Amino acid sequence: MARSNPTVITIAEEAGVSIASVSRVFNGQPVREETRIRVMAAAERVGYVPNAVARSLKSSRTDQVAFAVEDIGNPVYLAMLRQIQPVLKEAGYRLVLHSTGADTDEEIEVLRGLGQRYADGLIISPIRVTERHLAEFRKAPAPVVVIGSLSEDSPVDNVRADSRTGVELAVDHLLGLGRRRIGFVDGPLDTVPGGARDEGYRAAMARRGLPVDEDLVHVGGFDRATGAAAMRRMLHGGAPIPDALLCANDLIALGVLDELRSAGLAVPHDVAVVGMDDTDLAAASWPALTSVSLGSAERGRRAAALLLERLADPDALLAPRVVTVAPHLVVRASTGGEHGTADGRPAAD
Amino acid sequence: MARSNPTVITIAEEAGVSIASVSRVFNGQPVREETRIRVMAAAERVGYVPNAVARSLKSSRTDQVAFAVEDIGNPVYLAMLRQIQPVLKEAGYRLVLHSTGADTDEEIEVLRGLGQRYADGLIISPIRVTERHLAEFRKAPAPVVVIGSLSEDSPVDNVRADSRTGVELAVDHLLGLGRRRIGFVDGPLDTVPGGARDEGYRAAMARRGLPVDEDLVHVGGFDRATGAAAMRRMLHGGAPIPDALLCANDLIALGVLDELRSAGLAVPHDVAVVGMDDTDLAAASWPALTSVSLGSAERGRRAAALLLERLADPDALLAPRVVTVAPHLVVRASTGGEHGTADGRPAAD
DNA sequence: TTGTACGCGTTATCAG
DNA sequence: CTGATAACGCGTACAA
């Protein structure tokens, strides 16, 4: 259906002008009006569209930005993506999406891949940050923005959540409800979120002068089964049960709810439950889940903004910047608040 | 930090060979072992990475595939993406993501954009299919696969769901439970999914010899508020209330559950509820939601496979293919089945 | 096996 | 204002 694609040369011949004029027309440079008309007419006639690749080779800009996360199915990363996408589009960039899987090597691969120059910049949210990551950040051939906490002197722009404050918000909320035996269920401690949330929990308890009862602390995966297992252990372990439970994400909290329900305990009457990340699941569950939002959406938006600044002026050589996004608590029924609502979204066929 | 990027020329000089040899080394072509070593050494020394853009210009392949949907936040599209991504990666393609918004013009823009040759192919799931879409499909300069029902003689590969059968599964299930007054809540009829599901509902009822009571049919948006509004109307409208409700997606079903709960009616005892799309929300709700899966994940996977076939042999000129993915019912508590479970997913910081 | 030279489609420079 | 021509970085005939 498509014979060999029309190029500037095709158009030049077709319009009886030089290829330089064709180029000028398509780049809005000063041209005589008649030339303009003829070129546009010729282009229209043969359906000419400028080749993005050739353009990139010449300009050494791809108009693409890459976004790399471990699993785009994770609502937290999805929330970031949903903010990043429109910001980039607005600025004229396409989005290249990498879903790396739990594999650290793949993340490194993405970083190195930047050397191929298929993208003008990268936003990445690593699940763990290793020395290799830092090394790659340092020698990255294009601007990189990292979402997730980095050490203070890291070589790249960094947008971070504030888990500690987030956890404090939840603890204070529960204390305000008169709860004192506040349990905690976390994911792996060697991940960025898992580690930060554990620290946050202990710090918050200490600051309130509350002892941490290790019988009420459970570490597993960031999944529903972990929440159920933790609750089961606490219910049947012999020790006094908690009157509140803080969960490191909403999925864990759902598991906790499951188990409380089958044990015939009432939420929040017997046990109050708080999740983290404030995903769609929080509003969908019953009772609707109070959840600590760590501002994933805003982190995405801020990261995109930082990157765009660098791209706008690649030679600026600004010092690495650190942006911290404040958490906030979304109170719903699982701690005695109001029921939440979810926004609408169309189906697909 | 990075002076002008190393190119084949840099390496050639550094290694004391010709640029052709450098190229050969990096493309696995026969080279004397010593040459190989020296080139690799030189490349290592200066940190050379082949430029993807230049390579593309030469090969006229970008190793990129575009995926375009209305809103990547929609769980259905997300499910597709999650399958498409790894398949493409495995085949060596990067994924360019377009989230077009409800705007049809933007979809057309994406289609036309293919002319810029920034991608080797496109997978698109349009919310509506207009004449303009068909025209663009016809003259697309690269292979296109459409997810969503197209007319029989459409010019491109097409992966479709089977809403009618899906709805029938649900209706049969409800009939099997002894329900007879089966209501229906749908989204806009002029969208692909809305239209298909409405037809499916009426066909299924007719085939079972059941009359459609228009008092039990409600059309609104694909959102939670619509579900609540519909249920409210049916409860307080004066007509006998339904003993079962089929909802065009899970979000609508959640709204229905909300309203039933505040009316003090029991699910499924008084009213059984069925959702569609089988998203994460279905397993998260309480009672867990029976839902019709239209196989979003499989549709994504199949679409990717079709596209890869075309890309593998661009000259094959196969006739357009149509793949229909079978729906299936996931029975949970909202119709009296077992409780569902959700898979685990890590949090992020 | 290796090197030279050209072309991929554009943009930019420099004369005219 | 316009046209010829040289890059951009790579792959590859073709010749040696």
Side-chain angles (χ1 to χ4, degrees), chain B residues 233-267:
Chain B
R233 217 197 63 190
M234 294 182 201
L235 291 178
H236 308 305
I241 70 170
D243 55 13
L245 222 49
L246 176 57
C247 305
N249 76 0
D250 291 340
L251 223 35
I252 293 175
L254 288 187
V256 166
L257 289 181
D258 290 341
E259 195 62 26
L260 286 171
R261 197 147 33 209
S262 52
L265 290 171
V267 175

Side-chain angles (χ1 to χ4, degrees), chain B residues 83-319:
Chain B
Q83 298 298 125
I84 292 172
Q85 153 85 32
V87 174
L88 292 183
K89 176 159 66 172
E90 173 65 27
Y93 287 92
R94 283 185 294 268
L95 173 57
V96 176
L97 180 67
H98 295 282
S99 210
T100 59
D103 193 357
T104 296
D105 288 348
E106 293 223 36
E107 280 178 5
I108 302 290
E109 245 354 275
V110 170
L111 244 6
R112 307 201 78 121
L114 273 186
Q116 301 169 22
R117 322 244 67 155
Y118 67 87
D120 300 336
L122 168 70
I123 300 174
I124 185 170
S125 185
I127 182 80
R128 300 168 219 262
V129 177
T130 66
E131 268 311 316
R132 293 168 63 208
H133 282 88
L134 293 174
E136 293 294 338
F137 290 156
R138 226 176 310 273
K139 66 184 188 207
V144 173
V145 177
V146 173
I147 303 183
S149 295
L150 254 36
S151 59
E152 281 310 325
D153 60 338
S154 53
V156 288
D157 289 338
N158 181 207
V159 179
R160 48 180 66 173
D162 183 354
S163 298
R164 301 178 73 117
T165 302
V167 170
E168 283 189 33
L169 289 176
V171 169
D172 284 348
H173 174 63
L174 292 169
L175 289 175
L177 297 173
R179 313 287 165 140
R180 287 298 176 275
R181 291 184 53 73
I182 303 175
F184 179 57
V185 189
D186 199 6
L189 297 181
D190 66 340
T191 59
V192 173
R197 289 163 200 197
D198 180 70
E199 281 180 36
Y201 169 71
R202 294 175 188 281
M205 294 294 275
R207 204 163 311 175
R208 278 24 169 218
L210 294 171
V212 169
D213 180 348
E214 296 297 339
D215 284 334
L216 301 186
V217 175
H218 185 105
V219 174
F222 280 112
D223 51 39
R224 196 160 177 166
T226 293
M231 197 66 244
R232 211 173 305 129
R233 217 197 63 190
M234 294 182 201
L235 291 178
H236 308 305
I241 70 170
D243 55 13
L245 222 49
L246 176 57
C247 305
N249 76 0
D250 291 340
L251 223 35
I252 293 175
L254 288 187
V256 166
L257 289 181
D258 290 341
E259 195 62 26
L260 286 171
R261 197 147 33 209
S262 52
L265 290 171
V267 175
H269 181 268
D270 299 318
V271 181
V273 179
V274 178
M276 290 190 84
D277 292 338
D278 189 34
T279 61
D280 282 357
L281 300 179
S285 88
W286 188 259
L289 200 61
T290 292
S291 190
V292 178
S293 168
L294 294 175
S296 309
E298 190 180 346
R299 280 184 284 160
R301 199 169 33 216
R302 299 296 294 274
L306 287 181
L307 187 58
L308 286 179
E309 279 179 39
R310 295 254 179 221
L311 293 177
D313 186 0
D315 314 311
L317 231 40
L318 302 171

Side-chain angles (χ1 to χ4, degrees), chain A residues 1-2 5 49-54 56-58 62 64 70-78 80-82 85 89 94-101 106 112-113 115-118 125 127 138-139 141 147-149 159-163 192-194 196-197 222-225 248-249 251 254 258 261 277 280-281 283-287 294 299 340-349, chain B residues 1-2 5 44 49-54 56-57 62 64 70-78 80-82 85 89 94-101 106 112-113 115-118 125 127 138-139 141 147-149 159 161-163 192-194 196-197 222-225 248-249 251 254 258 261 277 280-281 283-287 294 299 317 340-349:
Chain A
M1 179 144 286
N5 284 314
V49 177
N51 182 307
V53 176
S56 287
L57 181 58
K58 193 55 189 151
T62 60
Q64 296 190 156
E70 184 239 338
D71 170 20
I72 196 54
N74 185 315
V76 171
Y77 298 131
L78 182 61
M80 294 174 186
L81 172 62
R82 293 187 72 190
Q85 153 85 31
K89 176 158 68 171
R94 283 186 295 268
L95 173 57
V96 176
L97 180 68
H98 294 283
S99 211
T100 59
E106 293 223 35
R112 306 204 78 122
Q116 301 170 20
R117 322 244 68 161
Y118 67 86
S125 185
I127 183 79
R138 226 176 309 274
K139 67 184 187 205
I147 303 183
S149 295
V159 179
R160 47 179 67 171
D162 182 355
S163 299
V192 173
R197 289 163 200 198
F222 280 112
D223 50 40
R224 196 161 177 163
N249 76 1
L251 224 34
L254 288 187
D258 291 341
R261 197 146 32 209
D277 292 338
D280 283 357
L281 300 178
S285 87
W286 187 258
L294 294 175
R299 279 184 285 160
T341 64
D343 0 15
R345 258 188 326 218
D349 208 358
Chain B
M1 177 143 285
N5 284 315
E44 185 70 29
V49 177
N51 182 306
V53 175
S56 287
L57 183 57
T62 60
Q64 296 191 155
E70 185 239 338
D71 170 21
I72 197 55
N74 185 316
V76 171
Y77 298 131
L78 181 61
M80 295 174 186
L81 173 62
R82 293 187 71 188
Q85 153 85 32
K89 176 159 66 172
R94 283 185 294 268
L95 173 57
V96 176
L97 180 67
H98 295 282
S99 210
T100 59
E106 293 223 36
R112 307 201 78 121
Q116 301 169 22
R117 322 244 67 155
Y118 67 87
S125 185
I127 182 80
R138 226 176 310 273
K139 66 184 188 207
I147 303 183
S149 295
V159 179
D162 183 354
S163 298
V192 173
R197 289 163 200 197
F222 280 112
D223 51 39
R224 196 160 177 166
N249 76 0
L251 223 35
L254 288 187
D258 290 341
R261 197 147 33 209
D277 292 338
D280 282 357
L281 300 179
S285 88
W286 188 259
L294 294 175
R299 280 184 284 160
L317 231 40
T341 66
D343 2 13
R345 258 188 325 218
D349 208 358

